[in-house]
């Protein structure tokens, strides 16, 4: 993983003192066998891009496997939201 403090976010929309929330999983709650759905991967990627994260971090996100959601209704609904962003 790439530590966020290594990024220069001065050119992003995240300037000054912003309140942010982050999820940090403890090692006992990480299951490396799980793969995110394609739409979830899209939300993470789009969020990072919109916040001006550097290309290396976007490439890091792109390197993660993701899989097609078997629930086509949920998949369609989430991609509709993602495409409106």
């Amino acid at each position: 993983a790439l530590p966020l403090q290594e990024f220069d976010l001065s050119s992003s929309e995240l300037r000054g003192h912003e309140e942010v929330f982050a999820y940090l999983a403890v090692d006992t709650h990480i299951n490396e066998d799980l793969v995110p759905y394609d739409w979830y991967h899209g939300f993470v990627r789009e969020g990072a891009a919109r916040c001006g994260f550097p290309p290396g971090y976007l490439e890091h996100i792109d390197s993660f496997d993701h899989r097609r959601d078997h629930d086509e209704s949920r998949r369609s609904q989430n991609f509709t939201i993602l495409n409106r962003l």
Side-chain angles (χ1 to χ4, degrees):
L2 300 172
L4 192 56
Q5 65 265 26
E6 290 183 14
F7 299 135
D8 174 11
L9 297 176
S10 60
S11 64
S12 78
E13 295 179 19
L14 295 176
R15 295 189 191 117
H17 300 282
E18 304 290 337
E19 182 176 346
V20 298
F21 296 92
Y23 171 78
L24 301 173
V26 290
D27 290 341
T28 58
H29 289 75
I30 296 173
N31 182 341
E32 297 289 344
D33 295 328
L34 295 178
V35 177
Y37 289 131
D38 47 4
W39 56 263
Y40 181 82
H41 186 269
F43 278 114
V44 172
R45 175 61 162 78
E46 181 66 18
R50 284 179 176 247
C51 288
F53 280 42
Y57 194 81
L58 299 178
E59 290 169 10
H60 181 66
I61 293 171
D62 291 341
S63 74
F64 282 87
D65 287 334
H66 50 280
R67 65 184 174 109
R68 184 182 184 98
D69 188 348
H70 64 277
D71 183 331
E72 288 298 325
S73 175
R74 177 177 57 203
R75 183 175 189 266
S76 175
Q77 183 179 26
N78 280 292
F79 271 118
T80 297
I81 294 167
L82 183 60
N83 290 328
R84 287 186 196 153
L85 298 177

